[in-house]
Every structure is written in C-alpha cells, then in structure tokens.
Amino acid sequence: MALFIYGTATNTGKGFFTHTDRLNFFLQGQPGDVWVVGNNEKGALWLANKNGVEKTKAEAQAIVTAEVEVAQAEWDALSDEHKAAHPGRPTDITLP
Amino acid sequence: MAGYNTIRGLKVNYLGEDPAGAETGQVWYNSSTGKLRLANPTLSGTWSSANACNTSRRYFQGCGSQTNGIMAGGFSPGASPPMFTQTEEFDGTNFTNGGNIGTGTYAATMFGPGTATVFAGGGDNSVFLTTTQHYDGSSWSSPGNNLPNGRNQAGGCGTQAAGVLFGGNAPSANMTATLEYNGTWSAVPGTLNVGRRSLNGTGTGTQGDCIGASGYGASGYTTSSETYNGTIWTATPAINTPRGTAMMNAEGSTTSAILAGGQNPVDQQVVTEIYDGTSWTTSGSLAASRSQAGSGGTSSAMWVAAGSPSSPSNNPAQRTAETFALVSNSTQTITLS
C-alpha cells in the first residue's frame, strides 16, 4: 500500500508534531521511532523536516516487530507477581 | 430490416484482405477469412520496463519526448540534502545526469522539449518559489522572468515560446488561475473550472491546444478534465479514476493524451487512461503503482520514472522506469447474432 510513507525519526518531544500536522496528514507513531505518515506533500515534507529516513513498509515492519519482540521477551521474563501487577503482554503490531 | 446498402448507400465490398487506411465505420467482407469486418479505431497500449533512473525521488515532474526527455528536482525524506537539484535526461533507453538546477526544488512545473525546457515555481521546503529556469540540453539558466506568485504542483504544457501553467497550490489554496509564457509570464482571464493542485497537462506547444486533467481540489481527488483554447477552459468528459499526483505525456493535444498512475484514497494507482478527444478509455497498467513521479513523451510513446515510494538510500527498486507504447486496433470482426 502506498497510501502511507514509512520512516524513522527521533521524537524530540514537545512540538515534534503539532495539531496542524495531524490535520494535514495521517500520522501514527510506532515502536522503534517508526512513523506512518500520509502519502501527501505535507506528510512527506514533515518526515523530511524531522530528519526522518524513509523506509519501505517491510523495513519499517521489521523494526517495529523487533522492538515488540524485545518488549515481549522482557515481559515474559517478569515474575508472576510482576506480571500480575503489569498485566498485558505487548501484542504484535502490523503496520497499516 | 434495412440493409447496409440502404443505410450507407453502399454495397459491402468483398476484399481479399483488410484494406489499409480504412475509414472509421467502413465495413467490408474479408473473403480470405470469411469475416465481416468493421473499421473502428480503438486505442490501447502497453507498458514495458525501462532502465532505472539515477536518483530515487518524489514530487517532481518531467517533460520532453521519449527519446529526448528530462526530469528535475524532487525530494526524498532522509536524503542529504532532502531537496534535489539533480536533472536527468532520458534517451528512450538510459537516464543520464544533466546539469543541476540552481536550488533544490520540489513540485515545480516543467514543459517543453528536453533541449528547451521551462522549470517554474515549486517549493524549496521553506517557501513556494516564483523562479523560472530554462534548460538548453546541458545547463540551466535564469531568464529573470518570474511567476507573479509562488505556487507548486501546477499543471503545465507547451514550449519556451508558447507555454501554459495552470492550477496548483499557493499555498494551501487550490488555484484556478492560468498563466501564459512566451519568455515572460502573463496572467490571462481563463481560469480552470475546477480549482486544484497535483494536476497534469499536455499540449501541442501552442497555447490554444492544451488539456489538463486529474488533481486534488476542494472535493478531494477529482475526475475533472478540461481543455484550454487560448482563451477559456472547457470541461471535457471526465477521466474514469479520480486521482492526483499522476503522470501524463508532455507532448499531446486536446485530442490525444495519456494519464497514468497517481493516487487516491483507495490506493496508489497503476491505471492508465487514453484520451482521444471524445472520451477517456482505461487501457494498460503500470507494472508498479506510482505517483509523484517524472513523466513525458508523446501520445504514442510515453515514459515515467521514480516517484513514490522514494528511497534515501537510492534503492534501485525505488527508481524504476517504464515506457508506454500506444497500439491502435483499427479493425474489428462483426459478429452477427
């Protein structure tokens, strides 16, 4: 699907994306500093201006999956007591 | 029931083979095949893969013919710098690097042959540009005649002596305004009926023979197609698939145009449509869906290259090119039932 641009960009905190950005294009953050951006002029420019690096969907999915697998392994290593205190094993993520 | 003789005032000819240059609507009996035949020109075409271009990029244009094509500018998130100055020339087989434009620019409007090209407007990632540049086949120069206002994603067609630029984005406003160019830009009264950006244009090289189609306007991705006669824009039959940031042949006319690819809310497109002056017919599909790409060519031989998705690492898979060959199927067999 090429409705979206996939890329990585480091979230620098407040102002990294704005309300106007959200109005201008689809924007979804994922683990591993992966961003799914609407494939239009403003979306593509936003990624470029955030020093983002465009990835193919497969590359972006691999980054997200690796991050999720690390988080799942960490959760699996928790004691039953901690698991009870922090319910909810990280679930797999499939990029749109 | 009236016979062909009554309707046409002619008898059906018995011919040993299909005649060359038959008129539309002409009917004859091919005695070799035993088939009743009808001359009914229909247009179709096929895309073939071409050698990859040199730079993966998005939001740029191209123009010129399939053997003297040119494309310039664009950008790719993650590339350094992200805004490109690169020019590539296409000879029908290979892309070779040409002289760079002065400023990294995306979404400019290009028209003209590859040795006398106009590159106008666009954006440099901070402002919309008014600059105009000319290419002579090896290097760019600035004639000093700027657009009255910055705009990007406009349509355009024609030559350095007789160009037209229309629609576009200035900024965040879908434009209807038309400019004509003869070395100097002039605002003209004719305005598009549907204001839009991300549209395409093609023409013969005179300001009175231009067609613009597709784009993104107030109602979203549009099917609108319009022709310009040098004075006014007139709506023509709509394209079949709404889309914007598509690719079009550069050297067409109001009776011959090819539109390919682009995007709409459903997906990035592979669909190709051919205009014959009467209607847009879907025919042929790009091997790879693409939008925001460079394109050019005539109404019988078009090309496209690169586009979305782009690759900052210049992956060959994101800088592919394709060429289109028009086929005219002029004769059909009449089946009686």
Side-chain angles (χ1 to χ4, degrees):
Chain A
M1 293 282 282
L3 291 176
F4 306 111
I5 303 170
Y6 303 89
T8 55
T10 303
N11 189 339
T12 54
K14 186 176 181 181
F16 182 68
F17 60 81
T18 66
H19 178 65
T20 301
D21 292 333
R22 301 298 298 268
L23 293 176
N24 285 336
F25 52 88
F26 177 92
L27 180 61
Q28 186 182 75
Q30 298 288 358
D33 281 333
V34 169
W35 298 89
V36 182
V37 182
N39 188 5
N40 62 23
E41 176 196 9
K42 290 179 178 174
L45 287 175
W46 177 86
L47 185 61
N49 290 331
K50 300 303 175 186
N51 295 318
V53 178
E54 185 171 353
K55 302 287 186 184
T56 65
K57 183 179 180 181
E59 291 170 340
Q61 181 67 62
I63 295 169
V64 171
T65 299
E67 287 288 319
V68 169
E69 288 176 348
V70 168
Q72 289 173 335
E74 290 175 348
W75 193 89
D76 291 343
L78 294 175
S79 65
D80 290 343
E81 183 180 0
H82 279 89
K83 286 178 181 174
H86 301 90
R89 183 177 187 266
T91 57
D92 293 338
I93 295 173
T94 302
L95 295 180
Chain B
M1 185 176 74
Y4 182 78
N5 188 11
T6 303
I7 296 170
R8 297 278 295 186
L10 299 167
K11 292 181 179 178
V12 174
N13 286 324
Y14 275 58
L15 303 174
E17 60 183 12
D18 292 336
E23 292 182 17
T24 299
Q26 183 178 341
V27 176
W28 66 94
Y29 181 78
N30 185 319
S31 59
S32 298
T33 60
K35 305 289 187 182
L36 193 59
R37 304 280 278 164
L38 165 69
N40 181 26
T42 57
L43 300 176
S44 64
T46 56
W47 287 97
S48 303
S49 63
N51 291 331
C53 63
N54 298 313
T55 302
S56 172
R57 50 181 124 174
R58 61 172 70 232
Y59 277 110
F60 67 107
Q61 286 194 359
C63 59
S65 68
Q66 197 180 77
T67 55
N68 184 21
I70 181 173
M71 57 189 197
F75 75 102
S76 179
S80 181
M83 294 291 151
F84 292 153
T85 59
Q86 290 95 322
T87 298
E88 294 189 53
E89 300 169 7
F90 184 51
D91 64 6
T93 303
N94 297 311
F95 287 86
T96 54
N97 291 332
N100 289 349
I101 54 177
T103 302
T105 305
Y106 76 97
T109 301
M110 293 181 70
F111 55 82
T115 52
T117 311
V118 176
F119 182 97
D124 67 358
N125 200 19
S126 59
V127 295
F128 284 4
L129 302 171
T130 61
T131 48
T132 301
Q133 296 178 69
H134 286 179
Y135 193 65
D136 62 5
S138 60
S139 62
W140 293 94
S141 61
S142 297
N145 301 309
N146 290 346
L147 299 169
N149 302 102
R151 68 169 98 178
N152 76 358
Q153 301 184 63
C157 59
T159 66
Q160 289 180 354
V164 185
L165 186 147
F166 46 93
N169 182 27
S172 299
N174 293 308
M175 300 187 73
T176 61
T178 302
L179 300 172
E180 292 186 352
Y181 188 69
N182 62 2
T184 301
W185 293 102
S186 302
V188 295
T191 55
L192 289 167
N193 294 288
V194 177
R196 55 187 124 161
R197 62 181 184 267
S198 303
L199 74 165
N200 301 93
T202 188
T204 56
T206 65
Q207 289 158 336
D209 191 7
C210 174
I211 184 169
S214 74
Y216 184 86
S219 300
Y221 291 102
T222 182
T223 59
S224 172
S225 172
E226 304 183 39
T227 57
Y228 183 64
N229 65 3
T231 304
I232 61 171
W233 287 92
T234 303
T236 66
I239 61 174
N240 297 288
T241 301
R243 54 181 121 172
T245 59
M247 292 73 71
M248 191 177 249
N249 61 315
E251 299 177 352
S253 73
T254 52
T255 58
S256 60
I258 306 168
L259 184 73
Q263 64 185 128
N264 63 27
V266 176
D267 207 345
Q268 192 162 261
Q269 299 293 308
V270 296
V271 176
T272 302
E273 299 188 44
I274 303 170
Y275 188 64
D276 64 0
T278 303
S279 61
W280 290 91
T281 302
T282 300
S283 178
S285 296
L286 291 162
S289 71
R290 70 180 81 211
S291 63
Q292 309 162 17
S295 66
T298 65
S299 296
S300 59
M302 181 181 167
W303 59 271
V304 300
S308 169
S310 58
S311 166
S313 58
N314 218 17
N315 186 332
Q318 275 82 55
R319 48 185 172 90
T320 61
E322 300 182 51
T323 56
F324 182 83
L326 184 74
V327 178
S328 177
N329 300 316
S330 61
T331 304
Q332 296 178 337
T333 297
I334 299 174
T335 301
L336 302 176
S337 58

